[in-house]
Amino acid sequence: CRVPECEDANPSVEIPKWWPQNVDAKCYRPVLDMQRYSRSNQTCSNNTFLEVLEECHDWVFDNNNSVVAALNIGCESWKSTLVGCIHNAGMIVSMLITGLIADKVGRKPTIIFCSIGGIVGLFKIFITNYYAYITVEFLESILASGLYTVAVVLLIEVGGESKRVSAGVIFSYAVYVGEVCFAFIAMGLKYWKLLIIVVYSPLILFILYAFILRESTRWQMLRGKMDEAKETLIMITQMNKLEVTEHEINETSNEDLRFQFNVVVQKEKERMRDILASREIMTRLLVTSFCFFASSFIYYGMAVHAVLLPGNKYTNFVLSSLSSFPGDLIALYTFKRFGRKVSLQCGYIASAVFLLAQTFSPDSIMWLKVALFLCGKMGVVICFTGIYTYTLELFPTSVRGTLMGCGNTAARFGSMLAPLTPLLSSEFAALPSILFASVSVVAALTLTFTPETKTLPMFDTIAQIESQKTKIMTHL
């Protein structure tokens, strides 16, 4: 805590010799006895203070290269924690809103809006008031966080039926590469404001997406925008040098084009009441939302616990991060070879088994403990990557963005709770792993209520899904 009357020209964070004994140097400020202070030629010592303490509101920091120093919240650790909570709250709101907007106005404009909206974060470098800072943090999170939901929807819809799994894996790899790049940029740029400028400034370039990015052809056909859909298909054939001419696409009737892409005409817009009225859709929504929660809760929980493993915590954290890459390759193979549902169930069960084995393995065999942990991490990576593809296949184009947003919202709750799990270790060391394993097993069991989608087409309306469900029940 800074005491201006006693500080040198360049104060340090070390407790000075004049500081009174048994007084918290961080959160409280000793009150000067001005008479003694004057008699000692305005020099501070242990005897120049009253036996009175004031709450500290001004601090000496080791350096000013942190948000804590910039906002002057040295002793109020809850405020720095609240920043993360506010960001997650914004993400929850964003996931719900942007999915709905993407279904109404299209994937492309929503992606562009979210991408450019994130540039609001640049204003944080000019802010010195805490409450203004968390307001901008919340606004930035609302504007930008929905990009994750809409981008994966567009990617998988464009990927087509044969490339759905590959599209999901590519999206996951893009996220991992972004995380690694951010880590290296942060290591090179020590000043936090400079880091924000470097990371946020390029977002303005997403204006170019208005000319580069194309709308989902499935969404265009579903909404009856056939001329725009044909323009998109012509561009695709030209870029990929396919043996389909512009004339052939333009001459194809709207009905034939929809038939080739297995798209139906949406006669009436499907709304939230249609979702709630469909028992099949609600079952799928509840199951996938819990799987999203489980995947996020376990994934981020294991990231937190990686530094608590025996051995070098930095090495263990790096190994834990790198295990995501082979996990996605396993997901790519198993989803194509064995199907979505069984791969997810096996991934959840494998993760639970390896986590429990790691917990009860002897601490003396360090390599075994780390190896089992990494195997468990790969299991949950399979699920985290796979649940995106599986969810997008379960829901129709008409409400896919909205319901995908619900799943991502459940995932945010999981990531918010994950950092709290180390507190359980104080009660019983194995309790976090038992909790992760239990959640994983429950997620695997809930998947018995949803169908396999490997051989199913991409449905476009709730009515199609209800009709397909009725045919299956009739056949049985």
Side-chain angles (χ1 to χ4, degrees):
C1 184
R2 186 191 303 273
V3 182
E5 298 87 349
C6 302
E7 304 291 353
D8 298 330
N10 296 304
S12 69
V13 293
E14 295 181 0
I15 299 177
K17 295 179 179 180
W18 48 261
W19 192 270
Q21 294 183 351
N22 301 321
V23 174
D24 185 351
K26 183 178 180 182
C27 297
Y28 294 97
R29 171 185 167 175
V31 179
L32 277 170
D33 184 329
M34 298 309 296
Q35 293 182 350
R36 294 180 184 177
Y37 181 66
S38 299
R39 287 198 298 268
S40 59
N41 295 321
Q42 297 185 343
T43 301
C44 294
S45 68
N46 296 110
N47 299 320
T48 56
F49 296 95
L50 299 171
E51 294 184 3
V52 179
L53 299 177
E54 293 180 346
E55 186 176 340
C56 186
H57 297 287
D58 189 21
W59 292 269
V60 176
F61 294 97
D62 188 19
N63 59 68
N64 291 320
N65 186 20
S66 70
V67 177
V68 173
L71 300 179
N72 204 34
I73 52 174
C75 194
E76 299 167 299
S77 58
W78 63 271
K79 285 189 174 181
S80 57
T81 303
L82 184 61
V83 172
C85 294
I86 290 293
H87 185 84
N88 278 317
M91 290 183 74
I92 291 171
V93 175
S94 182
M95 297 295 184
L96 293 172
I97 294 176
T98 52
L100 184 63
I101 294 173
D103 286 336
K104 299 296 182 183
V105 304
R107 284 49 165 143
K108 176 182 174 178
T110 309
I111 286 176
I112 295 173
F113 177 78
C114 289
S115 301
I116 299 174
I119 205 169
V120 169
L122 268 175
F123 289 102
K124 289 188 286 189
I125 66 175
F126 305 108
I127 295 174
T128 56
N129 178 270
Y130 173 76
Y131 295 101
Y133 185 92
I134 61 173
T135 300
V136 172
E137 185 76 27
F138 184 68
L139 181 60
E140 174 210 334
S141 185
I142 287 180
L143 293 176
S145 299
L147 181 63
Y148 199 95
T149 297
V150 186
V152 71
V153 170
L154 176 62
L155 185 61
I156 290 182
E157 286 182 349
V158 171
E161 293 185 12
S162 63
K163 304 295 182 184
R164 293 186 302 214
V165 178
S166 301
V169 171
I170 290 170
F171 184 83
S172 296
Y173 271 137
V175 174
Y176 299 148
V177 170
E179 290 176 350
V180 172
C181 289
F182 179 81
F184 280 112
I185 293 172
M187 289 171 63
L189 303 175
K190 304 298 183 182
Y191 188 47
W192 72 277
K193 289 188 177 181
L194 183 58
L195 177 63
I196 284 182
I197 293 172
V198 170
V199 172
Y200 284 81
S201 296
L203 293 177
I204 194 66
L205 297 177
F206 279 97
I207 292 176
L208 299 176
Y209 267 35
F211 309 100
I212 299 172
L213 190 64
R214 295 289 176 171
E215 184 58 84
S216 164
T217 50
R218 292 197 72 88
W219 183 86
Q220 289 174 329
M221 291 181 191
L222 182 70
R223 294 295 185 180
K225 302 176 183 292
M226 296 305 298
D227 292 338
E228 291 90 336
K230 287 181 179 181
E231 290 178 6
T232 303
L233 290 173
I234 290 170
M235 186 274 297
I236 292 172
T237 57
Q238 291 174 347
M239 287 192 67
N240 293 282
K241 298 180 180 179
L242 302 178
E243 295 181 357
V244 181
T245 65
E246 180 178 342
H247 177 74
E248 288 175 331
I249 293 175
N250 286 326
E251 288 300 311
T252 304
S253 67
N254 293 345
E255 292 74 17
D256 289 342
L257 195 60
R258 290 194 189 97
F259 178 79
Q260 291 178 27
F261 282 85
N262 195 28
V263 176
V264 299
V265 179
Q266 188 178 7
K267 297 179 180 179
E268 294 182 4
K269 291 184 178 181
E270 293 173 328
R271 306 178 186 278
M272 186 59 67
R273 64 172 177 267
D274 299 305
I275 296 172
L276 297 174
S278 173
R279 183 175 179 180
E280 180 64 18
I281 292 293
M282 288 303 299
T283 299
R284 296 182 183 193
L285 179 59
L286 291 173
V287 170
T288 54
S289 293
F290 185 80
C291 289
F292 265 107
F293 169 83
S295 299
S296 180
F297 179 60
I298 300 167
Y299 181 89
Y300 290 107
M302 293 187 73
V304 172
H305 285 267
V307 298
L308 304 178
L309 290 170
N312 185 286
K313 63 180 180 180
Y314 298 104
T315 302
N316 291 336
F317 185 80
V318 170
L319 290 174
S320 177
S321 300
L322 292 176
S323 66
S324 298
F325 289 89
D328 273 347
L329 291 178
I330 295 172
L332 178 62
Y333 174 77
T334 57
F335 267 52
K336 288 185 174 181
R337 180 72 174 81
F338 304 108
R340 287 53 157 154
K341 182 175 172 178
V342 68
S343 298
L344 284 169
Q345 288 176 315
C346 290
Y348 282 122
I349 296 298
S351 179
V353 170
F354 283 119
L355 276 172
L356 291 175
Q358 178 270 141
T359 299
F360 294 104
S361 61
D363 291 338
S364 56
I365 311 178
M366 186 175 68
W367 66 268
L368 177 63
K369 214 167 181 66
V370 174
L372 290 171
F373 182 89
L374 294 178
C375 289
K377 177 70 180 297
M378 280 193 288
V380 77
V381 166
I382 293 171
C383 300
F384 211 174
T385 298
I387 194 59
Y388 277 93
T389 301
Y390 186 56
T391 299
L392 290 167
E393 292 176 340
L394 282 174
F395 296 127
T397 307
S398 61
V399 292
R400 187 171 289 129
T402 302
L403 298 181
M404 190 69 185
C406 293
N408 266 319
T409 300
R412 291 313 105 203
F413 282 111
S415 62
M416 288 170 66
L417 292 175
L420 303 178
T421 54
L423 300 175
L424 300 175
S425 300
S426 59
E427 299 295 329
F428 178 44
L431 197 54
S433 293
I434 293 174
L435 178 60
F436 292 145
S438 300
V439 171
S440 193
V441 170
V442 172
L445 293 175
T446 61
L447 287 167
T448 58
F449 297 100
T450 53
E452 175 56 66
T453 58
K454 179 184 176 183
T455 58
L456 293 179
M458 293 279 280
F459 293 112
D460 295 304
T461 65
I462 295 175
Q464 276 186 304
I465 289 179
E466 290 290 351
S467 176
Q468 188 259 352
K469 179 68 175 179
T470 303
K471 289 178 181 178
I472 293 176
M473 296 302 293
T474 304
H475 179 73
L476 293 175

